[in-house]
Amino acid sequence: KHQWPFRRGYGLLFGLSIPTHLLLIVVGLFGALSVSPKLYLSAGEAEAMEWIIAHTPQEAVFASSEEIGLAIPALTGRRVILGHPFETPEYETMAKVVGEVFTAGQTPESLEAFSQKYGAFYFFWGPREQKMAGEGADPSQMGELVFENEEVKIIAAGLTP
């Protein structure tokens, strides 16, 4: 007696779900074909992620740009100070603080104070951090260089996990 409206409803639901799935596939393809740096890591960044997995403790915390801060937890399981806006406590404050850390004019003392206050074990310094820092920023004063390739430097901040 009541089967006809339900059958029609299922057909309508199924029919409307097809365009939704096609839209998701097309949007995903456009994202992949755009080769946006927000979606992909460079070869040097990918190599650094592999090094992080192999040479840092699971509880290590990294200071990096927001873009790399999105990749580090996903690819290595390590924590970051600045990552996804909805998953970073006090995001706007942390974005400002991390932005200041990666600028020229930082002293070893201010970097050590940052590491102590926010628990940063390592600084990730790559092309995105260099862009954020601007000209004249020097990562050599951040601590001990523990990894380096053509694009990325990972610097131990002095804290031990």
Side-chain angles (χ1 to χ4, degrees):
K1 180 176 175 180
H2 295 284
Q3 290 181 355
W4 181 80
F6 288 117
R7 285 187 191 163
R8 187 172 185 184
Y10 287 132
L12 183 63
L13 181 64
F14 180 73
L16 291 176
S17 69
I18 291 173
T20 303
H21 286 86
L22 290 175
L23 179 66
L24 289 173
I25 291 169
V26 168
V27 169
L29 286 173
F30 277 120
L33 294 173
S34 73
V35 192
S36 169
K38 291 186 177 193
L39 298 176
Y40 293 96
L41 295 177
S42 67
E45 291 168 336
E47 181 184 352
M49 297 296 168
E50 292 172 11
W51 183 88
I52 289 170
I53 292 168
H55 296 95
T56 64
Q58 189 69 32
E59 59 274 2
V61 178
F62 283 79
S64 67
S65 65
E66 180 182 346
E67 289 177 356
I68 291 297
L70 295 171
I72 290 174
L75 299 175
T76 70
R78 306 317 188 259
R79 294 182 303 138
V80 292
I81 294 171
L82 180 64
H84 192 277
F86 297 118
E87 296 173 352
T88 300
E90 300 178 33
Y91 170 78
E92 291 179 7
T93 303
M94 293 310 302
K96 182 180 176 188
V97 168
V98 170
E100 290 170 358
V101 165
F102 284 100
T103 58
Q106 288 293 329
T107 64
E109 293 79 21
S110 65
L111 292 167
E112 183 178 341
F114 169 84
S115 295
Q116 292 289 333
K117 183 173 182 178
Y118 297 105
F121 295 98
Y122 297 95
F123 293 100
F124 188 103
W125 185 275
R128 300 166 205 245
E129 289 73 19
Q130 180 66 49
K131 183 178 177 185
M132 184 171 74
E135 295 297 318
D138 180 16
S140 66
Q141 65 182 353
M142 292 179 139
E144 178 189 354
L145 183 66
V146 293
F147 171 83
E148 181 176 20
N149 65 24
E150 308 81 37
E151 295 181 301
V152 175
K153 295 176 181 176
I154 298 177
I155 301 144
L159 295 181
T160 54

